[in-house]
Amino acid sequence: MSVNFGNLFKIALRALSNNKFRGFLTMLGIIIGVASVITMLAIGQGSKRSIQDQISQMGSNMLSIDPGMGMMGGVRQDPSSMQTLKFADYQSIVAQCHFISAATPVVNASGQVIYGAKNAPTSVTGVNPDFLNIRKYSIADGEMFSLQNSKQLDKVCVIGHTVDSTLFSAGENPIGKIIRFKNTPFRVIGVLTEKGYSMGQDQDNIILAPYSTVQKRILAINYLNSIMVSATYESVADSAKQEIVSILRANHHLSDSQDNDFSVRSQKDLITMLSSTSDLMTILLAAIAGISLLVGGIGIMNIMYVSVTERTREIGLRMSIGARGMDILLQFLFEAILLSVTGGVIGVIVGIGASLMVQSLFAWPIFIQWYTVFLSFAVCTATGIFFGWYPARKAANLDPIEAIRYE
Amino acid sequence: MNYLIEVKNLKRYYKVGTETVHALRGVSFSIAAGEFVTIMGSSGSGKTTLLNLLGCLDTATEGDYYLEGISVKEMNKDQRAMLRNRKIGFVFQSYNLLPKTTAIENVELPLVYNPSFSSHERKAKAVEMLENVGLGDRLHHTSAQLSGGQQQRVAIARALINEPAIILTDEATGNLDTRTSYEILSLFQQLHQEQGRTIIFITHNPELASFSSRNIVLKDGKIVHDSLNTNIASAQEMLLQLPKQDD
């Protein structure tokens, strides 16, 4: 059996160019289908990317170690009231863990901060200087406190942008001013660069102070609320996590049968959790767009049936001069594929254009994954074959005797 | 003697509902290469059925048909398609040219289904055939730009391009006026006399019998008359006798 694809292509091209407008209308279904699949996926992927970006702004290598659920005298305790994390744990992690680049103990105290006649609700976070690195904060003005300040339990602090603008009037330099938190005076030595909101939280409503000052002078506790560390690379975050688990288990003298009395969460865990919603959204959008591709395919099938009926005499003639059933089948199949693939190419272009338009007009994050482009292209070809098959087979099964005299 | 076509007791029945229609009730004849045969018969005589059988578009219910010694009866659809492509040239009453397609492209069509011809060879051959039928100046005209007679000439060129063993025509002059009919008949006579083509002319019109070398008459599915015509009329002469046209 020999098939000349060059001939098939020429025949199909001629047949389509004889009915340009009809061909265009038929392709329109595919164009809209493919364009909407690509645009919807671009929007879906874009929003997923933007969530991931927000998380990595918080520090994509970050691991946070929190006290876990534990028992105290037979009563299961809320994790926040657990006192299992100690400064010694932090020291062990810093000393023994190979995959971390930064670490800080964290203690939290919330309450009103007062400066002169003004006050605001906020929280004081006791950390050491590594915190800036881990959470990707930077100092806009002044300086960060040092480990030396920590050792000396100095009452110094660095304030976030929101705290700065609430407590101090415009133009007033907060550096060197004394603010009061729970009757403890803190000298402001630095202001953080504005970071904005992330997942509904104002990241600038924050006061940073040496962890020891907050732990001893304000809270008067001997445990930590959490420990934050930064893995050297995102790729070793899991190794770091495992290492930390084994260090802490050893520190806490946990036997094999006992559960962890702490939890270690990486940003990756958070990303996975948050992406699952946006993945679902993407699937829904793509499914709706896929339906329009299906409708486009039915349009092709419809027009191919019309075409076969219209050209019954042509089919009869071709058969009488020696075309086999297979030749006729391929001729019409090729025509259907040419329709759908041309529609697909235009659809890809329109889809990318529409995605870029959405991005520039509505400032929505978009992200075009190239595999979705190739996928929709492949789906198009498959649509052409699937919906072109039945009309083409109908043509191939015509009886030449009847077809040639068809009126 | 080796015949080009041998038909032995050919029968063709159709089932229409519960009734059986006997379109051909046992037809036998042989045609040698170079004959110009007119097969005549009125409507319902079975001539279209015979054309379909001779053209390998259909197979007989009973009897044998040998084309160049090959039995067609045993062949499947694809084999018959191949046989039509290589051995038979069809000329139909309604030309059956592809619309919006140039004369060259119409003529080369049979060779599209013959992989041994390249696109270039097809074109060259199509031009040769069109010149052969006197349309050398109409190569790139589409079907709609040609008159009825010219369209039928294109169809004849298409039937000739595969160098067929037989040319089968079905009421080839049926749609044409008298003058053009004679022109087409003259072309067939020329192909027969000068190039030795074997032509089978199927028609209901008894007037055409005088232009061929042999006449077969069908009636009710049987041959009632089969004779050689020694006094062949010339279509060219008939053409000259027609009153002159002003245009």
Side-chain angles (χ1 to χ4, degrees), chain A residues 337-402:
Chain A
I337 293 171
L338 197 65
L339 266 178
S340 64
V341 166
T342 311
V345 171
I346 299 174
V348 164
I349 296 167
V350 172
I352 292 174
S355 304
L356 295 176
M357 220 159 83
V358 163
Q359 188 178 37
S360 64
L361 286 185
F362 307 112
W364 284 7
I366 64 136
F367 183 74
I368 297 167
Q369 269 175 319
W370 293 107
Y371 85 84
T372 63
V373 173
F374 290 115
L375 190 74
S376 24
F377 201 71
V379 167
C380 261
T381 316
T383 306
I385 295 173
F386 184 80
F387 288 102
W389 179 262
Y390 286 95
R393 213 186 52 171
K394 184 192 169 193
N397 287 343
L398 285 175
D399 180 0
I401 297 168
E402 284 167 25

Side-chain angles (χ1 to χ4, degrees), chain A residues 2 7 10-11 14 18 313-314 317-325 327-328 331 396 400-401 404-405, chain B residues 48 51-52 57-58 78 81 84-85 90 92 94 96 98 100-101 105 109-110 112-113 115 119 122 158 170:
Chain A
S2 58
N7 282 342
K10 268 188 233 165
I11 293 171
R14 165 162 297 265
N18 282 348
R313 280 170 70 104
E314 177 190 327
L317 172 80
R318 283 179 185 277
M319 284 177 156
S320 62
I321 61 169
R324 294 159 303 172
D327 294 317
I328 300 296
Q331 177 188 338
I401 297 168
I404 193 102
R405 295 187 177 85
Chain B
T48 303
L51 170 91
N52 292 340
L57 291 164
D58 196 8
D78 282 356
R84 291 198 293 272
N85 188 245
F90 282 103
F92 300 98
S94 48
N96 279 306
L98 298 189
K100 300 181 188 176
T101 307
E105 286 167 318
L109 207 56
V112 169
Y113 298 104
S119 153
R122 289 204 304 259
R158 183 179 63 196
D170 182 15

